[in-house]
């Protein structure tokens, strides 16, 4: 990640935009099979790399590393110490990331209603 | 997925599920950069192949064909005649497909708020 990026500027590392449509731009950043699962895990309170790896979908570690890097660059996730003074890193959602909750909730609602045999872990 | 499938069973052509999580299963079906743009276009009233191709993101025709086939197999989209007696085919959302509207709306809301320079075409 290159250096100084102004604090409130939308992130630069995003892929080129295909159009100004907010749905298209959303998908440019988050439209794949894995990225929103990491966001789901963060919403569920998981914060450590090994916790994401332990999720039932079995995200490959190289994909996870790349997605965490991109989400951090995009200001959706930030790195924290896993506990005060710990060497271990953890991750949490920024406000921008927490604002993805309604998207996940609407996907969950659709899945529960329209895809048989699904069950939700995210209760709130 | 093995044989006999009852009529009201969710469609077969879906990729293997990674977990029973409804968000993961949603992404198994719809998690990529293009599929939900086709759903967006259908929600905006577009119905013809050439209309989808004309959208500003410029979906490649081979991807579009494949996504329309998958969405049809999954019961999200159905084929119709573009006008009575016409040879031309068109597409429309099934009820299952129309039920994706809240997902698109939540993505649009997030994009408009958090991604600079986006603007919405979907007004309702």
């Amino acid at each position: 990640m290159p250096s100084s990026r102004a604090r409130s500027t939308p992130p630069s590392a995003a892929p080129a935009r295909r159009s100004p449509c907010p749905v298209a731009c959303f998908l440019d950043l988050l439209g794949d099979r894995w990225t929103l699962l990491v966001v789901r895990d963060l919403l569920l309170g998981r914060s450590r790399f090994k916790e994401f790896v332990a999720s039932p979908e079995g995200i490959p570690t190289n994909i996870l590393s790349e997605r965490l890097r991109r989400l951090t660059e995009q200001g959706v996730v930030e790195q924290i110490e896993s506990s005060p003074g710990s060497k271990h890193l953890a991750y949490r959602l920024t406000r921008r990331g927490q604002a993805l909750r309604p998207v996940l909730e609407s996907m969950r609602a659709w899945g529960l209603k329209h895809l048989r045999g699904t069950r939700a872990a995210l209760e709130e």
Side-chain angles (χ1 to χ4, degrees), chain A residues 27-83:
Chain A
L27 295 173
D28 289 339
L29 298 183
L30 300 161
D32 69 73
R33 298 171 74 233
W34 293 110
T35 307
L36 288 173
L37 291 186
V38 179
V39 174
R40 174 204 63 182
D41 283 354
L42 288 157
L43 286 169
L44 287 168
R46 296 171 193 145
S47 64
R48 301 280 304 279
F49 193 92
K50 65 182 181 185
E51 293 177 297
F52 306 137
V53 170
S55 284
E57 295 82 14
I59 187 168
T61 54
N62 61 330
I63 292 182
L64 176 57
S65 296
E66 197 274 337
R67 295 303 190 277
L68 284 169
R69 182 182 60 72
R70 270 180 37 204
L71 288 170
T72 305
E73 287 173 352
Q74 290 155 19
V76 172
V77 161
E78 59 192 353
Q79 277 194 344
I80 53 172
E81 289 177 347
S82 72
S83 56

